[in-house]
Amino acid sequence: MCGIVGACGALDFRDYLLNGLRKLEYRGYDSCGLFVTDGSFSLLERSVGVVDNLDKQVPTTFEHTPSVGIAHTRWATHGGVTISNCHPVYSFDRKVILVHNGVIENFVQIREFLAANKISFYGNTDSEIVANLIAYYLSTSAKDMLEAIEMATSKLNGSYSLAIVHLAEPHRLYFAKNLSPLLIGKGQGANYLASDQIPMAEISREFVDLKDGRFGYITKDEIHVYFQGQEEKVKLVERSSENLDVSLNGYPHFMLKEIEETPSCIERLIKNYVFHDEYTFDPKLLKIIERASEIIFLACGTSYHASLIAVDLLRSKGKLASAYIASEFAYHPVVMTKNPLFIIISQSGETADLLKCVPFIQDNAYHLLTITNNRYSSLARKAEYYLNLYSGVEVSVASTKVYQSELALLFMLLDAAFIKGHHFNELREQVKCLEKIIAHKEKFIPVAEEIAKYDNLFFLGRGIDYSTALEGALKMKEVTYINASAVQAGELKHGPIALISNEFPSIAFISEEKTAHQMRNGFQEIKARGGRVFVVSSKSLSLEDDDIIVCDSPLYLSPMSKVMVAQYLTYYTAIKKGLNVDKPRNLAKSVTVE
Ligand code: F6R
């Protein structure tokens, strides 16, 4: 789970590589490094921590003008977070230098093979074995770098995108790709490589979206792509017109900016899926949804929580529906009927646990709809039907606006397929409600400052509010490191209440009339044991003393308001605790390893 940038030609390498890494830090940020050369001079700099640390190490001007350069931001999988495990990694003869994103599953066997051939290693990464394998073939049997790369990659099991430099060929940048994303950007007097379009957005208008199994090289003005030994015609596609803006625009943090982008994201979704007051979803897809014997959602983390709301909505319409965490489904698939529809939901579209589920769906010829926020992602490419979330880039590791877009899109899709209504107008009203919450965000600061004093926290809800509680607890624990967990409020007395004390508060959501009374009875039991309850309620169900009151919404849209409150509380709590809000420890934005 790493980010790669590289380039060949005439450009400001320092600026492209370092800023490119900054734009890819969402893919991992525990260490980083870069390598540049023109053949006579080379520079390898690596550093633990964020890109700003590396920036301080890299001279403001290079001794010579480089002709090729590569850089990498890492999220450790094999080997600890140390300088020797940072990329770029180099081969035993120091001639092959590369950056790698992915996981080589058979790296132990390859390492043994290389060790038997007297090749030693300086670090613990699976990436170093790839550099050595290429250098080994080049020094034994391959006629050139291309052949060495083809021979080496044919021995690799697993995922990789590689940007590779050979010291003797400083005017070429080699690459190989399988199961990890890699794009080539076409520029003026230079060509580029990157894990996604964002680092190249301002410099290339066209790019090549590399398919699995491809390898080749770029020069300053040529692009050569090979597959199974044959050169392929290069297919250039226009740069995405989607919002690739990754600047803070005056906000102190991306998390805050992205929470507040939610209304515009939902409006953009409505614009993309509603025309002349009619939904524009593919009628064939709507038929499949309608006729499916059951609907099975697969997702992870935040996206899984969004799918739980859709399951509730479907079940309320009498439709058989379930949601599974992808890492579980991949090994324990459950299909109860003959004609299911699978819906995969993923912000990034690169989540390995989800990719692992796809062969099962395809081998059984089940229908598959994929929803992602990146139409060029691996999951989007594998989709039978695809829907884009159009949320623009989400930089903060904690997903906020995309979760909301997932809810909104699922609501519209199921409305079109089952309810056959025009409830997008309710969604428009919901946007206004979210704008009101944003306008009054200062109210959340004292509540968050109170929460920041505690180490433990329950999120309580019943019915649809339990899904919100799950999402609230996930946000709180990943960003503030408070030990937060969700409890179905009725279950509290069956065990979890044992934890309640004056040091263990709860945040409770109330959106549903039929359980509001029972929720409040439960608060008495908590208070009787010294526990504090922060109540977040819908207006018509609120009491004067409730801590946060939001506007009334239709039941299946109410999670949007409650979750936005939970997002704000998380944000302000993390600020109070002085934490790195956008880059919580141990996490990366796209989880491309199992
Ligand atoms: C939490 C968060 C993660 C992701 C999960 C799935 O804020 O962002 O829980 O939701 O890793 O990622 P995607 O949606 O990219 O498949």
Side-chain angles (χ1 to χ4, degrees):
M1 205 155 44
C2 307
I4 286 178
V5 278
C8 198
L11 63 136
D12 180 344
F13 274 92
R14 192 180 194 287
D15 181 68
Y16 173 65
L17 295 179
L18 288 171
N19 284 328
L21 288 186
R22 283 193 180 92
K23 291 173 186 169
L24 290 178
E25 267 188 306
Y26 75 87
R27 302 181 64 86
Y29 42 82
D30 56 30
S31 52
C32 50
L34 63 71
F35 174 77
V36 288
T37 186
D38 72 337
S40 60
F41 126 98
S42 5
L43 176 83
L44 174 68
E45 286 292 349
R46 295 172 298 167
S47 137
V48 167
V50 291
V51 176
D52 286 347
N53 297 353
L54 179 66
D55 192 329
K56 288 185 195 121
Q57 273 173 232
V58 177
T60 42
T61 50
F62 296 127
E63 244 174 80
H64 292 228
T65 307
S67 48
V68 65
I70 51 178
H72 184 269
T73 177
R74 178 169 188 247
W75 190 83
T77 53
H78 290 77
V81 183
T82 61
I83 292 285
S84 61
N85 291 333
C86 279
H87 298 216
V89 296
Y90 48 87
S91 58
F92 62 91
D93 57 3
R94 294 187 165 246
K95 289 184 182 152
V96 175
I97 298 103
L98 63 79
V99 288
H100 167 219
N101 170 31
V103 175
I104 306 303
E105 282 157 12
N106 58 339
F107 92 104
V108 173
Q109 292 89 318
I110 297 177
R111 201 178 159 105
E112 282 166 5
F113 165 78
L114 290 167
N117 283 283
K118 307 215 165 2
I119 289 171
S120 57
F121 302 85
Y122 63 83
N124 313 104
T125 65
D126 53 344
S127 313
E128 191 190 336
I129 67 120
V130 182
N132 279 322
L133 197 60
I134 294 170
Y136 167 77
Y137 284 125
L138 200 57
S139 63
T140 53
S141 43
K143 67 174 185 305
D144 57 21
M145 264 295 274
L146 264 186
E147 196 172 275
I149 291 169
E150 189 173 20
M151 289 171 82
T153 51
S154 72
K155 298 281 181 292
L156 305 180
N157 293 341
S159 55
Y160 53 83
S161 54
L162 298 162
I164 315 156
V165 178
H166 191 279
L167 273 189
E169 297 181 74
H171 298 286
R172 279 188 181 188
L173 176 53
Y174 290 93
F175 61 81
K177 183 240 181 282
N178 195 46
L179 299 174
S180 290
L182 190 63
L183 304 172
I184 301 172
K186 190 169 162 42
Q188 297 278 331
N191 285 319
Y192 304 88
L193 286 179
S195 299
D196 74 25
Q197 290 183 56
I198 304 168
M200 309 184 287
E202 284 159 23
I203 35 190
S204 20
R205 294 174 63 89
E206 291 175 307
F207 67 92
V208 183
D209 184 11
L210 286 168
K211 297 207 174 79
D212 289 338
R214 270 54 180 183
F215 63 100
Y217 64 93
I218 55 174
T219 66
K220 68 180 175 38
D221 37 35
E222 289 169 27
I223 297 171
H224 296 275
V225 180
Y226 297 82
F227 181 53
Q228 295 179 340
Q230 300 295 316
E231 183 156 9
E232 276 188 339
K233 199 169 163 357
V234 169
K235 194 169 157 243
L236 287 165
V237 287
E238 282 283 307
R239 180 163 61 74
S240 161
S241 56
E242 281 159 41
N243 179 9
L244 297 178
D245 176 28
V246 287
S247 56
L248 277 163
N249 283 341
Y251 279 91
H253 300 99
F254 284 104
M255 185 174 175
L256 185 63
K257 175 181 176 237
E258 288 160 3
I259 292 172
E260 298 190 2
E261 280 173 352
T262 302
S264 59
C265 288
I266 295 168
E267 272 161 5
R268 201 172 317 127
L269 271 179
I270 298 174
K271 218 166 114 198
N272 275 287
Y273 292 110
V274 177
F275 186 65
H276 285 313
D277 276 353
E278 293 297 336
Y279 287 115
T280 57
F281 297 111
D282 181 344
K284 276 196 274 177
L285 171 63
L286 295 181
K287 276 234 151 56
I288 289 172
I289 298 177
E290 219 180 320
R291 291 182 183 167
S293 53
E294 62 179 317
I295 297 190
I296 302 175
F297 292 90
L298 301 179
C300 308
T302 287
S303 299
Y304 170 72
H305 298 153
S307 73
L308 292 177
I309 311 274
V311 167
D312 272 3
L313 175 52
L314 282 164
R315 288 181 182 167
S316 77
K317 298 289 158 206
K319 187 80 187 174
L320 194 57
S322 44
Y324 292 95
I325 297 216
S327 54
E328 284 302 310
F329 192 89
Y331 293 92
H332 314 102
V334 186
V335 177
M336 303 296 280
T337 59
K338 284 219 159 54
N339 182 31
L341 162 69
F342 280 84
I343 302 186
I344 282 182
I345 311 178
S346 172
Q347 180 279 130
S348 61
E350 298 295 346
T351 302
D353 292 326
L354 284 161
L355 283 162
K356 185 91 188 177
C357 297
V358 174
F360 171 82
I361 300 168
Q362 290 177 337
D363 292 350
N364 285 289
Y366 294 140
H367 287 299
L368 171 62
L369 161 65
T370 302
I371 298 176
T372 80
N373 195 36
N374 178 357
R375 87 161 88 144
Y376 299 105
S377 58
S378 307
L379 282 164
R381 271 200 237 112
K382 289 178 191 292
E384 179 192 355
Y385 289 93
Y386 173 68
L387 294 175
N388 194 337
L389 288 158
Y390 295 110
S391 305
V393 182
E394 192 175 60
V395 177
S396 182
V397 166
S399 183
T400 53
K401 63 175 178 176
V402 177
Y403 170 84
Q404 301 275 29
S405 299
E406 289 171 350
L407 290 189
L409 178 52
L410 287 168
F411 178 83
M412 287 196 288
L413 183 66
L414 302 183
D415 186 30
F418 287 109
I419 306 162
K420 311 231 177 278
H422 291 79
H423 292 82
F424 41 80
N425 288 327
E426 290 179 357
L427 204 49
R428 287 188 174 119
E429 285 305 308
Q430 182 61 29
V431 169
K432 290 185 198 151
C433 173
L434 297 177
E435 280 164 349
K436 274 192 210 147
I437 295 174
I438 294 171
H440 294 100
K441 62 185 172 200
E442 274 74 27
K443 285 201 300 201
F444 307 136
I445 297 173
V447 181
E449 289 184 344
E450 185 74 10
I451 291 168
K453 294 178 192 156
Y454 299 98
D455 295 326
N456 300 293
L457 186 58
F458 277 148
F459 278 81
L460 305 176
R462 295 181 72 138
I464 204 159
D465 283 330
Y466 175 61
S467 306
T468 308
L470 284 168
E471 177 56 10
L474 176 63
K475 249 6 27 133
M476 194 59 90
K477 77 181 129 209
E478 69 179 327
V479 183
T480 71
Y481 314 142
I482 291 176
N483 176 23
S485 53
V487 179
Q488 282 160 320
E491 273 295 287
L492 201 61
K493 57 186 176 298
H494 296 290
I497 200 163
L499 293 173
I500 293 291
S501 73
N502 58 2
E503 294 189 359
F504 202 128
S506 306
I507 296 179
F509 301 114
I510 305 185
S511 312
E512 208 186 34
E513 193 177 357
K514 63 180 169 195
T515 53
H517 184 65
Q518 283 72 13
M519 283 292 292
R520 290 190 189 277
N521 282 348
F523 302 164
Q524 296 315 318
E525 290 165 13
I526 295 172
K527 284 177 189 162
R529 285 153 186 88
R532 167 88 160 92
V533 187
F534 300 95
V535 181
V536 184
S537 57
S538 298
K539 194 158 190 285
S540 59
L541 303 172
S542 65
L543 295 183
E544 209 182 320
D545 286 346
D546 288 353
D547 298 83
I548 295 165
I549 299 169
V550 298
C551 20
D552 286 320
S553 311
L555 187 63
Y556 293 101
L557 293 178
S558 66
M560 298 181 111
S561 315
K562 306 296 184 313
V563 157
M564 185 176 261
V565 171
Q567 293 170 350
Y568 270 124
L569 291 178
T570 299
Y571 173 76
Y572 288 123
T573 303
I575 295 295
K576 178 70 185 168
K577 293 179 81 170
L579 298 172
N580 187 344
V581 188
D582 288 331
K583 290 180 189 145
R585 69 186 177 210
N586 304 341
L587 294 173
K589 185 75 182 157
S590 60
V591 186
T592 55
V593 287
E594 259 194 274

